[in-house]
Coordinates of all heavy atoms in Angstrom, one line a residue:
M13 N 131.6 102.5 104.5 CA 130.4 102.9 105.1 C 130.4 104.5 105.3 O 131.4 105.0 105.9 CB 130.1 102.2 106.4 CG 128.8 102.4 107.0 SD 128.6 101.6 108.6 CE 129.1 99.9 108.3
T14 N 129.3 105.0 105.0 CA 129.3 106.6 105.1 C 128.9 106.9 106.5 O 128.4 106.1 107.4 CB 128.1 107.1 104.2 OG1 126.9 106.6 104.6 CG2 128.4 106.9 102.8
L15 N 129.1 108.1 106.8 CA 128.8 108.7 108.2 C 127.3 108.4 108.6 O 127.0 108.1 109.7 CB 129.3 110.1 108.4 CG 129.1 110.7 109.6 CD1 129.9 110.1 110.8 CD2 129.4 112.2 109.7
K16 N 126.5 108.8 107.6 CA 125.1 108.6 107.8 C 124.7 107.2 108.1 O 123.8 107.0 109.0 CB 124.4 109.2 106.5 CG 122.8 109.2 106.7 CD 122.2 109.8 105.4 CE 120.7 109.9 105.6 NZ 120.1 110.6 104.4
E17 N 125.2 106.2 107.4 CA 124.8 104.8 107.6 C 125.4 104.4 108.9 O 124.8 103.6 109.7 CB 125.6 103.9 106.5 CG 125.0 104.1 105.2 CD 125.7 103.3 104.1 OE1 126.9 103.0 104.3 OE2 125.1 103.1 103.0
C18 N 126.6 104.8 109.3 CA 127.2 104.5 110.6 C 126.3 105.0 111.8 O 126.0 104.3 112.8 CB 128.5 105.1 110.7 SG 129.5 104.5 112.2
K19 N 125.8 106.2 111.7 CA 125.0 106.8 112.7 C 123.6 106.1 112.8 O 123.1 105.9 113.9 CB 124.7 108.3 112.5 CG 126.0 109.2 112.8 CD 125.6 110.6 112.7 CE 126.9 111.4 113.1 NZ 126.6 112.8 113.5
K20 N 123.0 105.6 111.6 CA 121.8 104.9 111.6 C 122.0 103.6 112.3 O 121.1 103.1 113.1 CB 121.4 104.6 110.1 CG 120.0 104.1 110.0 CD 119.7 104.0 108.7 CE 118.3 103.2 108.4 NZ 117.9 103.0 107.0
E21 N 123.1 102.8 112.1 CA 123.4 101.7 112.7 C 123.6 101.8 114.2 O 123.0 100.9 115.0 CB 124.6 100.9 112.1 CG 124.4 100.3 110.8 CD 125.5 99.5 110.2 OE1 126.6 99.4 110.9 OE2 125.5 99.1 109.1
E22 N 124.2 102.8 114.6 CA 124.4 103.0 116.1 C 123.0 103.3 116.8 O 122.8 102.8 117.8 CB 125.3 104.3 116.3 CG 126.7 104.0 116.0 CD 127.6 105.3 116.2 OE1 127.1 106.3 116.7 OE2 128.8 105.3 115.8
K23 N 122.1 104.1 116.0 CA 120.8 104.4 116.5 C 120.0 103.1 116.7 O 119.4 102.8 117.7 CB 120.1 105.4 115.6 CG 118.8 105.7 116.2 CD 118.1 106.7 115.2 CE 116.6 106.9 115.7 NZ 115.8 107.7 114.8
M24 N 120.1 102.2 115.7 CA 119.4 100.9 115.7 C 119.9 100.1 116.9 O 119.1 99.4 117.5 CB 119.5 100.1 114.4 CG 118.8 100.8 113.2 SD 119.0 100.0 111.7 CE 117.9 98.6 111.9
D25 N 121.2 100.1 117.1 CA 121.8 99.3 118.2 C 121.3 99.8 119.6 O 121.0 99.0 120.4 CB 123.3 99.3 118.1 CG 123.8 98.5 117.0 OD1 123.1 97.8 116.3 OD2 125.1 98.6 116.7
R26 N 121.2 101.2 119.7 CA 120.7 101.7 121.0 C 119.2 101.3 121.2 O 118.9 101.0 122.3 CB 120.9 103.2 120.9 CG 122.3 103.7 121.3 CD 122.4 105.2 121.6 NE 121.7 106.1 120.5 CZ 122.2 106.5 119.4 NH1 123.6 106.2 119.2 NH2 121.7 107.3 118.6
E27 N 118.5 101.4 120.1 CA 117.0 101.0 120.2 C 116.9 99.5 120.6 O 116.0 99.2 121.5 CB 116.3 101.3 119.0 CG 116.1 102.7 118.6 CD 115.5 103.0 117.3 OE1 115.2 102.1 116.5 OE2 115.3 104.2 116.9
F28 N 117.7 98.7 120.1 CA 117.8 97.3 120.4 C 118.1 97.1 121.9 O 117.4 96.4 122.5 CB 118.8 96.5 119.6 CG 119.3 95.3 120.2 CD1 118.4 94.1 120.3 CD2 120.6 95.3 120.7 CE1 118.9 92.9 120.9 CE2 121.0 94.0 121.3 CZ 120.2 92.9 121.3
Q29 N 119.1 97.7 122.4 CA 119.5 97.6 123.8 C 118.4 98.0 124.7 O 118.2 97.5 125.8 CB 120.8 98.4 124.0 CG 122.0 97.7 123.4 CD 123.3 98.5 123.6 OE1 123.3 99.6 123.6 NE2 124.4 97.7 123.7
K30 N 117.7 99.1 124.4 CA 116.6 99.6 125.1 C 115.4 98.6 125.2 O 114.8 98.3 126.2 CB 116.2 101.0 124.7 CG 115.2 101.7 125.5 CD 114.8 103.1 125.0 CE 113.7 103.7 125.8 NZ 113.4 104.9 125.3
K31 N 115.0 98.2 124.0 CA 113.9 97.4 123.8 C 114.0 96.0 124.5 O 113.1 95.5 125.2 CB 113.6 97.1 122.3 CG 112.3 96.4 122.0 CD 112.1 96.3 120.5 CE 110.9 95.5 120.2 NZ 110.6 95.5 118.7
F32 N 115.2 95.5 124.3 CA 115.5 94.1 124.9 C 116.1 94.1 126.2 O 116.5 93.1 126.8 CB 116.2 93.3 123.9 CG 115.4 92.9 122.7 CD1 115.4 93.6 121.6 CD2 114.7 91.7 122.7 CE1 114.7 93.3 120.4 CE2 113.9 91.3 121.6 CZ 113.9 92.2 120.4
K33 N 116.3 95.3 126.8 CA 117.0 95.5 128.1 C 118.4 94.8 128.0 O 118.8 94.1 128.9 CB 116.2 95.0 129.3 CG 114.9 95.8 129.4 CD 114.1 95.4 130.5 CE 112.9 96.3 130.6 NZ 111.7 95.6 130.4
F34 N 119.1 95.0 127.0 CA 120.4 94.3 126.7 C 121.5 95.2 127.2 O 121.7 96.3 126.9 CB 120.6 94.1 125.3 CG 121.8 93.1 124.9 CD1 121.7 91.7 125.0 CD2 122.9 93.7 124.5 CE1 122.6 91.0 124.7 CE2 124.1 92.8 124.2 CZ 123.9 91.5 124.3
E35 N 122.4 94.7 128.1 CA 123.5 95.5 128.6 C 124.8 95.0 128.0 O 125.0 93.9 127.6 CB 123.6 95.3 130.1 CG 122.3 95.4 130.8 CD 122.3 96.6 131.9 OE1 123.5 96.9 132.3 OE2 121.2 97.2 132.2
G36 N 125.7 96.0 127.9 CA 127.0 95.7 127.3 C 127.0 95.8 125.8 O 126.2 96.3 125.1
S37 N 128.2 95.4 125.3 CA 128.3 95.5 123.8 C 127.7 94.4 123.1 O 127.5 93.3 123.6 CB 129.8 95.6 123.5 OG 130.4 94.3 123.8
I38 N 127.3 94.6 121.8 CA 126.6 93.6 121.0 C 127.7 92.8 120.2 O 128.3 93.3 119.4 CB 125.7 94.2 120.0 CG1 124.7 95.1 120.8 CG2 125.0 93.2 119.1 CD1 123.8 96.0 119.9
N39 N 127.8 91.5 120.7 CA 128.8 90.6 120.1 C 128.1 89.5 119.4 O 127.2 88.9 120.0 CB 129.7 90.1 121.2 CG 130.6 91.2 121.7 OD1 131.0 92.2 121.1 ND2 130.9 91.1 123.0
V40 N 128.6 89.1 118.2 CA 128.0 88.0 117.5 C 128.6 86.7 118.0 O 129.9 86.6 117.9 CB 128.2 88.1 115.9 CG1 127.6 86.9 115.3 CG2 127.5 89.4 115.4
L41 N 127.9 85.7 118.6 CA 128.5 84.6 119.2 C 128.8 83.6 118.0 O 129.8 83.0 118.0 CB 127.5 84.0 120.2 CG 127.2 84.8 121.4 CD1 126.1 84.1 122.2 CD2 128.4 85.2 122.2
T42 N 127.8 83.4 117.1 CA 127.9 82.5 115.9 C 126.9 82.8 114.9 O 126.1 83.7 115.2 CB 127.8 81.1 116.5 OG1 128.0 80.2 115.4 CG2 126.4 80.8 117.0
Q43 N 126.9 82.1 113.8 CA 125.8 82.3 112.8 C 125.1 81.0 112.7 O 125.7 79.9 112.7 CB 126.4 82.7 111.6 CG 126.9 84.1 111.5 CD 127.4 84.5 110.1 OE1 127.8 83.7 109.2 NE2 127.1 85.8 109.8
M44 N 123.8 81.1 112.4 CA 123.0 79.9 112.3 C 122.1 80.1 111.1 O 121.7 81.2 110.8 CB 122.2 79.6 113.6 CG 123.1 79.2 114.7 SD 122.1 78.8 116.2 CE 121.9 77.1 115.9
M45 N 121.5 79.1 110.6 CA 120.6 79.2 109.4 C 119.2 78.8 109.8 O 119.1 77.8 110.6 CB 121.1 78.3 108.3 CG 120.3 78.4 107.0 SD 121.0 77.4 105.7 CE 120.6 75.8 106.2
V46 N 118.2 79.5 109.3 CA 116.8 79.1 109.5 C 116.5 77.9 108.7 O 116.9 77.8 107.5 CB 115.8 80.2 109.1 CG1 114.3 79.8 109.2 CG2 116.1 81.5 109.9
D47 N 115.9 76.8 109.2 CA 115.6 75.6 108.6 C 114.9 75.8 107.3 O 113.8 76.4 107.3 CB 114.8 74.7 109.5 CG 114.7 73.3 109.0 OD1 115.0 73.1 107.8 OD2 114.2 72.4 109.7
P48 N 115.4 75.3 106.1 CA 114.7 75.5 104.9 C 113.3 74.9 104.8 O 112.5 75.3 104.0 CB 115.6 74.8 103.8 CG 117.0 74.8 104.5 CD 116.7 74.7 106.0
A49 N 113.1 73.8 105.7 CA 111.8 73.2 105.8 C 110.8 74.0 106.7 O 109.6 73.6 106.7 CB 111.9 71.8 106.2
A50 N 111.3 75.0 107.4 CA 110.4 75.7 108.4 C 109.4 76.6 107.7 O 109.6 77.0 106.6 CB 111.2 76.5 109.3
K51 N 108.3 76.8 108.4 CA 107.4 77.8 107.9 C 107.8 79.2 108.0 O 108.4 79.5 109.0 CB 106.0 77.6 108.7 CG 105.1 76.6 108.2 CD 103.8 76.7 109.1 CE 102.6 76.4 108.3 NZ 101.4 76.6 109.1
E52 N 107.6 80.0 107.0 CA 108.0 81.4 107.1 C 107.0 82.2 108.0 O 105.8 81.8 107.9 CB 108.0 82.1 105.7 CG 109.1 81.5 104.9 CD 109.4 82.3 103.7 OE1 108.8 83.4 103.4 OE2 110.2 81.8 102.8
K53 N 107.5 82.9 108.8 CA 106.6 83.7 109.8 C 106.8 85.2 109.7 O 108.0 85.6 109.6 CB 106.9 83.2 111.2 CG 106.5 81.9 111.4 CD 106.7 81.4 112.9 CE 106.4 79.8 113.1 NZ 106.7 79.4 114.4
R54 N 105.8 86.0 110.0 CA 106.0 87.4 110.1 C 106.5 87.7 111.5 O 106.1 87.0 112.4 CB 104.7 88.1 109.7 CG 104.3 88.0 108.4 CD 103.1 88.8 108.0 NE 102.6 89.7 109.0 CZ 101.5 90.3 108.8 NH1 100.7 90.1 107.8 NH2 101.0 91.2 109.7
G55 N 107.2 88.7 111.6 CA 107.7 89.1 113.0 C 106.6 89.7 113.8 O 105.6 90.2 113.3
G56 N 106.8 89.7 115.1 CA 105.9 90.2 116.1 C 106.5 91.4 116.8 O 107.5 92.0 116.4
A57 N 106.1 91.7 118.0 CA 106.7 92.7 118.8 C 108.1 92.6 119.0 O 108.9 93.5 118.8 CB 105.9 92.8 120.1
K58 N 108.5 91.4 119.4 CA 109.9 91.1 119.7 C 110.5 90.0 119.0 O 111.5 89.5 119.2 CB 110.1 91.0 121.2 CG 109.9 92.2 122.1 CD 110.4 91.9 123.5 CE 110.3 93.2 124.3 NZ 110.9 93.1 125.6
N59 N 109.7 89.4 118.0 CA 110.1 88.3 117.3 C 110.6 88.8 115.9 O 110.0 89.6 115.3 CB 108.9 87.3 117.1 CG 108.5 86.7 118.4 OD1 109.3 86.4 119.3 ND2 107.2 86.4 118.5
L60 N 111.6 88.1 115.4 CA 112.1 88.4 114.2 C 111.4 87.6 113.1 O 111.0 86.4 113.2 CB 113.6 87.8 114.2 CG 114.7 88.4 113.1 CD1 114.6 89.9 113.3 CD2 115.9 87.8 113.3
P61 N 111.1 88.3 111.9 CA 110.5 87.5 110.9 C 111.4 86.5 110.3 O 112.6 86.6 110.1 CB 110.2 88.6 109.8 CG 111.0 89.8 110.2 CD 111.3 89.6 111.5
L62 N 110.8 85.3 109.9 CA 111.6 84.2 109.5 C 111.5 84.0 108.0 O 110.4 84.0 107.5 CB 111.2 82.8 110.2 CG 111.3 82.8 111.7 CD1 110.9 81.5 112.3 CD2 112.8 83.0 112.0
R63 N 112.6 83.7 107.3 CA 112.7 83.4 105.9 C 113.4 82.1 105.8 O 114.5 82.0 106.4 CB 113.3 84.5 105.1 CG 112.4 85.7 105.0 CD 113.0 86.7 104.0 NE 114.4 86.6 103.9 CZ 115.3 87.6 103.6 NH1 114.7 88.9 103.4 NH2 116.6 87.6 103.6
R64 N 113.0 81.2 105.0 CA 113.7 79.9 104.9 C 115.1 80.1 104.4 O 115.3 80.8 103.3 CB 112.9 79.0 103.9 CG 111.6 78.6 104.4 CD 110.9 77.8 103.3 NE 109.6 77.4 103.8 CZ 108.5 77.3 103.0 NH1 108.7 77.3 101.7 NH2 107.4 77.0 103.5
G65 N 116.1 79.4 104.9 CA 117.4 79.5 104.5 C 118.2 80.7 104.9 O 119.3 80.8 104.5
E66 N 117.6 81.6 105.6 CA 118.2 82.9 105.9 C 119.3 82.7 107.0 O 119.2 81.8 107.9 CB 117.2 83.9 106.5 CG 117.7 85.2 106.8 CD 116.7 86.2 107.3 OE1 115.7 85.6 107.9 OE2 117.0 87.4 107.2
I67 N 120.5 83.3 106.9 CA 121.6 83.2 107.8 C 121.4 84.3 108.8 O 121.3 85.6 108.5 CB 122.9 83.4 107.1 CG1 123.1 82.4 106.0 CG2 124.0 83.2 108.0 CD1 123.1 80.9 106.4
L68 N 121.4 83.9 110.1 CA 121.2 85.0 111.2 C 122.4 85.0 112.1 O 123.0 84.0 112.3 CB 119.9 84.6 112.0 CG 118.6 84.5 111.3 CD1 117.6 84.0 112.2 CD2 118.2 85.9 110.7
D69 N 122.7 86.2 112.6 CA 123.8 86.3 113.7 C 123.2 86.0 115.0 O 122.1 86.7 115.4 CB 124.4 87.7 113.6 CG 125.1 88.0 112.3 OD1 125.6 87.2 111.8 OD2 125.0 89.3 111.9
V70 N 123.7 85.2 115.8 CA 123.3 84.8 117.2 C 123.9 85.8 118.1 O 125.2 85.9 118.2 CB 123.6 83.4 117.5 CG1 123.2 83.2 119.0 CG2 122.9 82.5 116.6
I71 N 123.1 86.6 118.9 CA 123.6 87.6 119.8 C 123.6 87.0 121.2 O 124.5 87.2 121.9 CB 122.6 88.9 119.8 CG1 122.6 89.4 118.3 CG2 123.2 89.8 120.8 CD1 123.8 89.9 117.8
Q72 N 122.5 86.2 121.5 CA 122.5 85.6 122.9 C 121.6 84.4 122.8 O 120.5 84.4 122.3 CB 121.8 86.7 123.8 CG 121.7 86.2 125.3 CD 121.2 87.4 126.2 OE1 120.2 88.0 125.7 NE2 121.9 87.6 127.2
F73 N 122.0 83.3 123.6 CA 121.2 82.2 123.7 C 120.4 82.4 125.0 O 120.9 82.3 126.1 CB 122.0 80.9 123.9 CG 122.8 80.5 122.7 CD1 124.1 80.8 122.4 CD2 122.2 79.8 121.7 CE1 124.7 80.4 121.3 CE2 122.8 79.5 120.5 CZ 124.1 79.8 120.2
T74 N 119.1 82.8 124.9 CA 118.4 83.3 126.0 C 117.8 82.2 126.8 O 117.9 82.4 128.0 CB 117.2 84.2 125.5 OG1 116.4 83.5 124.5 CG2 117.7 85.6 124.9
N75 N 117.2 81.3 126.3 CA 116.6 80.1 127.0 C 116.5 78.9 126.2 O 117.0 78.9 125.1 CB 115.3 80.5 127.8 CG 114.3 81.0 126.7 OD1 114.2 80.3 125.5 ND2 113.4 81.9 127.0
Q76 N 115.8 77.8 126.6 CA 115.8 76.6 125.9 C 114.9 76.7 124.6 O 115.0 76.0 123.7 CB 115.2 75.5 126.8 CG 116.1 75.1 128.0 CD 117.4 74.6 127.4 OE1 117.4 73.8 126.5 NE2 118.6 74.9 128.2
E77 N 114.0 77.8 124.6 CA 113.1 77.9 123.5 C 113.5 78.9 122.4 O 113.1 78.8 121.4 CB 111.6 78.2 124.0 CG 111.0 77.1 124.7 CD 111.3 77.0 126.1 OE1 111.4 78.1 126.7 OE2 111.4 76.0 126.6
Q78 N 114.2 79.9 122.8 CA 114.4 81.0 122.0 C 115.9 81.5 121.9 O 116.7 81.3 122.9 CB 113.6 82.3 122.4 CG 112.1 82.0 122.2 CD 111.3 83.3 122.4 OE1 111.6 84.0 123.3 NE2 110.2 83.5 121.7
I79 N 116.3 82.1 120.8 CA 117.6 82.7 120.6 C 117.4 84.1 120.2 O 116.5 84.5 119.4 CB 118.4 82.0 119.5 CG1 118.5 80.5 119.9 CG2 119.7 82.6 119.4 CD1 119.1 79.6 118.8
L80 N 118.2 85.0 120.7 CA 118.1 86.5 120.3 C 119.1 86.6 119.1 O 120.4 86.3 119.2 CB 118.6 87.3 121.5 CG 118.5 88.8 121.2 CD1 117.1 89.3 120.8 CD2 119.0 89.6 122.5
C81 N 118.6 87.0 117.9 CA 119.3 87.1 116.7 C 119.2 88.4 116.0 O 118.3 89.2 116.3 CB 118.8 86.0 115.7 SG 119.1 84.4 116.3
R82 N 120.1 88.7 115.0 CA 120.1 89.8 114.2 C 120.1 89.3 112.7 O 120.9 88.4 112.4 CB 121.2 90.7 114.3 CG 121.4 91.9 113.4 CD 122.5 92.7 113.9 NE 123.8 92.1 113.6 CZ 125.0 92.4 114.1 NH1 125.1 93.4 114.8 NH2 126.1 91.7 113.9
N83 N 119.2 89.9 111.9 CA 119.2 89.5 110.5 C 120.1 90.4 109.6 O 120.7 91.3 110.1 CB 117.8 89.4 109.9 CG 117.1 90.7 109.8 OD1 117.6 91.7 110.0 ND2 115.7 90.7 109.6
S84 N 120.1 90.2 108.3 CA 121.0 90.9 107.4 C 120.5 92.5 107.3 O 121.4 93.2 106.9 CB 121.0 90.3 106.0 OG 119.7 90.3 105.4
K85 N 119.3 92.7 107.7 CA 118.8 94.1 107.7 C 119.0 94.8 109.0 O 118.5 95.8 109.3 CB 117.3 94.2 107.3 CG 117.1 93.5 105.9 CD 115.6 93.6 105.6 CE 115.4 93.0 104.3 NZ 113.9 92.9 104.0
R86 N 119.9 94.2 109.9 CA 120.2 94.7 111.2 C 119.0 94.9 112.0 O 118.9 95.8 112.9 CB 121.0 96.0 111.2 CG 122.3 95.8 110.7 CD 123.3 97.0 110.7 NE 123.6 97.3 112.1 CZ 124.7 96.7 112.8 NH1 125.3 95.8 112.2 NH2 124.8 97.1 114.0
R87 N 118.0 94.0 111.9 CA 116.8 93.9 112.7 C 117.1 92.8 113.8 O 117.6 91.8 113.5 CB 115.5 93.7 112.0 CG 115.4 94.7 111.0 CD 113.9 95.0 110.9 NE 113.9 96.2 109.9 CZ 112.8 96.8 109.5 NH1 111.6 96.4 110.1 NH2 112.8 97.8 108.7
Y88 N 116.6 93.1 115.0 CA 116.9 92.2 116.1 C 115.5 91.6 116.5 O 114.5 92.1 116.4 CB 117.4 92.9 117.3 CG 118.8 93.5 117.0 CD1 118.9 94.8 116.5 CD2 120.0 92.8 117.3 CE1 120.2 95.3 116.2 CE2 121.2 93.2 117.1 CZ 121.4 94.5 116.5 OH 122.6 95.1 116.4
G89 N 115.6 90.3 117.0 CA 114.4 89.7 117.7 C 114.7 88.3 118.1 O 115.7 87.7 117.8
Y90 N 113.6 87.7 118.6 CA 113.7 86.4 119.1 C 113.4 85.4 118.0 O 112.5 85.6 117.2 CB 112.8 86.2 120.3 CG 113.2 86.8 121.6 CD1 112.5 87.9 122.0 CD2 114.4 86.5 122.2 CE1 112.9 88.6 123.2 CE2 114.9 87.1 123.3 CZ 114.0 88.2 123.8 OH 114.5 88.9 125.0
V91 N 114.0 84.2 117.9 CA 113.8 83.2 117.0 C 113.6 81.9 117.8 O 114.5 81.6 118.6 CB 114.9 83.1 116.0 CG1 114.7 82.0 115.0 CG2 115.1 84.5 115.2
P92 N 112.6 81.0 117.4 CA 112.7 79.7 118.1 C 113.8 78.8 117.8 O 114.3 78.7 116.7 CB 111.4 79.1 117.6 CG 110.6 80.2 116.8 CD 111.6 81.2 116.5
R93 N 114.3 78.2 118.8 CA 115.5 77.3 118.6 C 115.2 76.2 117.7 O 116.0 75.6 117.0 CB 115.9 76.7 119.9 CG 116.9 77.6 120.7 CD 117.5 77.0 121.9 NE 118.3 77.8 122.6 CZ 119.5 77.5 123.2 NH1 119.9 76.3 123.1 NH2 120.0 78.4 123.9
A94 N 113.9 75.7 117.6 CA 113.5 74.6 116.9 C 113.7 74.8 115.4 O 113.9 73.7 114.7 CB 112.0 74.3 117.1
V95 N 113.7 76.0 114.9 CA 113.9 76.1 113.5 C 115.3 76.6 113.1 O 115.6 76.9 111.9 CB 112.9 77.3 112.9 CG1 111.4 76.9 113.2 CG2 113.2 78.6 113.5
M96 N 116.2 76.5 114.0 CA 117.6 77.0 113.7 C 118.5 75.8 113.5 O 118.4 74.8 114.2 CB 118.2 77.8 114.8 CG 117.4 79.1 115.1 SD 117.4 80.2 113.7 CE 119.0 80.8 113.7
L97 N 119.4 75.9 112.5 CA 120.3 74.8 112.1 C 121.7 75.4 112.3 O 122.0 76.5 111.9 CB 120.2 74.3 110.8 CG 118.8 73.6 110.5 CD1 118.7 73.4 109.0 CD2 118.6 72.4 111.3
P98 N 122.8 74.7 112.9 CA 124.1 75.2 112.9 C 124.7 75.2 111.5 O 124.3 74.4 110.6 CB 124.9 74.2 113.8 CG 124.0 73.0 113.8 CD 122.6 73.4 113.4
L99 N 125.6 76.2 111.2 CA 126.4 76.2 110.0 C 127.5 75.3 109.9 O 128.2 75.1 110.9 CB 126.8 77.6 109.6 CG 125.7 78.6 109.3 CD1 126.2 80.0 109.1 CD2 124.9 78.2 108.0

C-alpha cells in the first residue's frame, strides 16, 4: 500500500468516526453476506448501498434492526439485519 492510499484510508476512517460518533479503534467483528434474494438498494445518508451477495465487514451490532458495516470500497453505513446472512 502506498503512502497516499494509507493517508486516504486514515482520512476515511476519521470521517466515519465523526459521522457515526464512533469512539475507539475500528475493529472488524465478523463478515456477513448480503442475501442474494434481497432487493438491491441505493445508499442514503447513513445507509450503505446493498448489492446481492456482497461480503461486508461488521463493525458493530447497533440494535435489533441494523448493523454498522463496511464494504469493499471502505464505505461505512447501516445495513438492515434482515438482509444479512452469516458466512
Side-chain angles (χ1 to χ4, degrees):
M13 187 180 309
T14 66
L15 181 62
K16 187 175 182 179
E17 290 173 340
C18 188
K19 286 188 178 193
K20 184 177 179 182
E21 285 185 4
E22 286 177 10
K23 182 181 177 188
M24 290 176 78
D25 290 347
R26 281 194 307 273
E27 288 174 2
F28 155 74
Q29 288 176 326
K30 184 177 178 182
K31 183 176 182 179
F32 290 92
K33 297 180 176 116
F34 190 84
E35 306 243 339
S37 63
I38 301 169
N39 297 322
V40 176
L41 302 176
T42 186
Q43 289 187 325
M44 297 180 87
M45 182 175 74
V46 177
D47 188 352
K51 272 185 147 181
E52 292 193 7
K53 295 182 182 179
R54 289 183 14 185
K58 289 190 175 183
N59 294 328
L60 198 60
L62 296 179
R63 290 189 326 212
R64 293 179 184 151
E66 182 178 25
I67 305 294
L68 301 175
D69 296 331
V70 176
I71 305 300
Q72 184 180 41
F73 292 99
T74 53
N75 58 36
Q76 294 297 323
E77 289 86 36
Q78 293 183 326
I79 303 172
L80 185 58
C81 295
R82 175 176 68 193
N83 65 11
S84 60
K85 297 177 183 175
R86 292 192 69 83
R87 301 220 172 181
Y88 296 89
Y90 293 111
V91 176
R93 277 190 185 218
V95 300
M96 299 299 287
L97 300 172
L99 288 178

